Amino acid sequence: MSTSIEEAVPEAPAVTKSQSIASLSKSVPTAEARYRPQTLLAIPVGALISLGIHYFIPKREPVPTSHYFPTLLFAMLGFGILLIALCPFSLRVRKWMRHMCPILGIATLTTGIWELITCCLALMPLPYFPGPEAVVSSIVNDRALIFDSTWHSLALLLSGYAIGTVIALITGVTIGWFPHARYWGMPLLKIVGPIPATAWIPLAMVVAPSALFSAMGLVALAVWFPVTMLTASGISNTRTSYLDVARTLGANRLYLIFRVAIPAAMPNIFIGLFMGLGTSFLTLVVAEEVGVKSGLGWYVSWAQGWAEYGKVYGALIIMAAFFSTIMTLLFKLRDRVLVWQKGTIKW
Amino acid sequence: MVALTGDSKIESSEAASIRVWHVSKQFDSADGGITPGALALNDVSLTVKAGEMVCIVGPSGCGKSTLLRMIAGLTPPTTGELSIGAEPITGPGAERGLVFQDPSLFPWLSVRGNIEAGLVARGVLRHMQQEADEFMRLVGLEAFANSFPHHLSGGMAQRVALARALINHPRVLLLDEPLGALDAFTRMRMQDEVLRLWRARGTTMLFVTHDIDEAIYMSDRIIIMTPRPGRIEQIISVELDRPRDRGSDEFLHLRGQILETMHFAGQPLAGNTH
């Protein structure tokens, strides 16, 4: 059965491919214009193999009766074919395809292999390792609650992160600039800072008026330490010649701090912001699981309590998308703020 | 480039003169004062007249950069007094511009932002926008107004540093080996550039270099310093007409004289005169 699919695969796109190569070599004969079959075919082939597994290999495990997973695979197949149809017309699409098609193709194929080793071959024990249909259907069916949880997580994360960052910038600049603040602040920072924010949970529960506030405080604390540390080191390592030049230009202390030291420390501050974002994700999830009765962290432990592992994986997928989106936004902000540094940073 | 009229010149009055009176500088020792620190300058006195171009030459460690930093107000002297015109120097000020060997441009600001920095620092940017344009033209960098410093070559970066220092119309411009990091050709072009700015603006310039040819080519007077401890060995007036011919007999004679003062005469380095 699978062989018939294998044969069917190359046929349809092969025609499109040779056509588009012909049309392309006429219009844009550049290096980007040459494209390889593995780029063009990755997504359709991945989707077709996964669909073949889904429809033709008998299931040994009970599967939800819904059809969300194959619908997704068909959507992927359609997307792949659409890309092939579009690529002769746009250089941007071709560049994007060169970069993304292998990854997306393999990702699509992986979902098929997932179904193969769970539902079809029953190699993984239930209920801990459900197949893709169970996960996709629980995301779709529980979308209202998941959306609500994501929204709560976002609000908690952003408020905690913003509060922590603002306080950290103030403490970091103070410790970095004023020797007295450095003398008294640094030991405190070095002793208290490395304690993971989650270790403060027992205290936070007692001190804060509500679980939400304690979680916000913990997220803020998780961001505060790395941002303070790196801001302080960035400020105190400002090149003396920048400060000397600014002084001879008639700069007062405010200018020296806000227009010389802080911009000079910006690359460092961003390293702190990235580190703080990682620790704040961790703190957020733990705080939600333990105290706050909402958010994605809570959702995961709640679903686990009901042994609904489809929902657990569904929430993890949403979490991955959620956190990586925020991370990407921070990268974009960094690229904009540190545009003057472009070319010298590689992370 | 830009024809600068006489009225944009700074009035060559006594206000732009530099006076250094019996100045010594002892640095703090590394061990916290048990042994005396290095004596960087020992009883240095000199006067630079308003509108004069004076070069300080000397080997490393002769305290020439320290002297410049003290005039800039960035380092206080251990003993002695410094003044600009009649005002004693107590700290840095916008009337004394400073340019380092490393242009030290603010990398987070564009070329325009760097040139405007002095106006922003003094809080006068709003009424002096056109000033920045004028200075960008003055150093021929209008086309790079929005570039960031890491896109600039060494010579361009140093031109921006010059414009940045000049925008406050300093009475005195202090240059600490400003052309030291440039290649020979760029350096010769920049020497003419500095001379052009000097003539156009009438700024008093004190120029530290360890290139003797550069000193002879540019300055009205050359101050020769010797190290350990740093002190003034000799002051030589250069009375050649500008533009100076680097190959002329007078030029070479002067070069030999300076090398002799610095105890390099007779060595292969100085082989072309006596």
Side-chain angles (χ1 to χ4, degrees), chain B residues 191-247:
Chain B
Q191 288 168 357
D192 290 327
E193 182 99 4
V194 172
L195 283 173
R196 184 177 64 81
L197 292 171
W198 171 66
R199 248 194 311 262
R201 309 210 63 80
T203 315
T204 309
M205 288 195 183
L206 189 57
F207 191 113
V208 163
T209 178
H210 46 217
D211 179 344
I212 292 164
D213 287 8
E214 184 168 277
I216 303 170
Y217 185 73
M218 299 191 63
S219 54
D220 295 327
R221 283 190 297 152
I222 299 171
I223 297 170
I224 302 168
M225 292 184 70
T226 50
R228 280 174 289 277
R231 59 190 178 78
I232 294 176
E233 178 77 27
Q234 200 184 345
I235 300 179
I236 295 173
S237 291
V238 185
E239 274 143 18
L240 304 174
D241 294 331
R242 291 190 180 90
R244 290 173 182 162
D245 176 1
R246 294 172 213 261

Side-chain angles (χ1 to χ4, degrees), chain B residues 21-36:
Chain B
W21 187 247
H22 294 299
V23 160
S24 299
K25 178 70 190 179
Q26 179 131 27
F27 281 107
D28 293 338
S29 58
D31 56 17
I34 299 163
T35 57

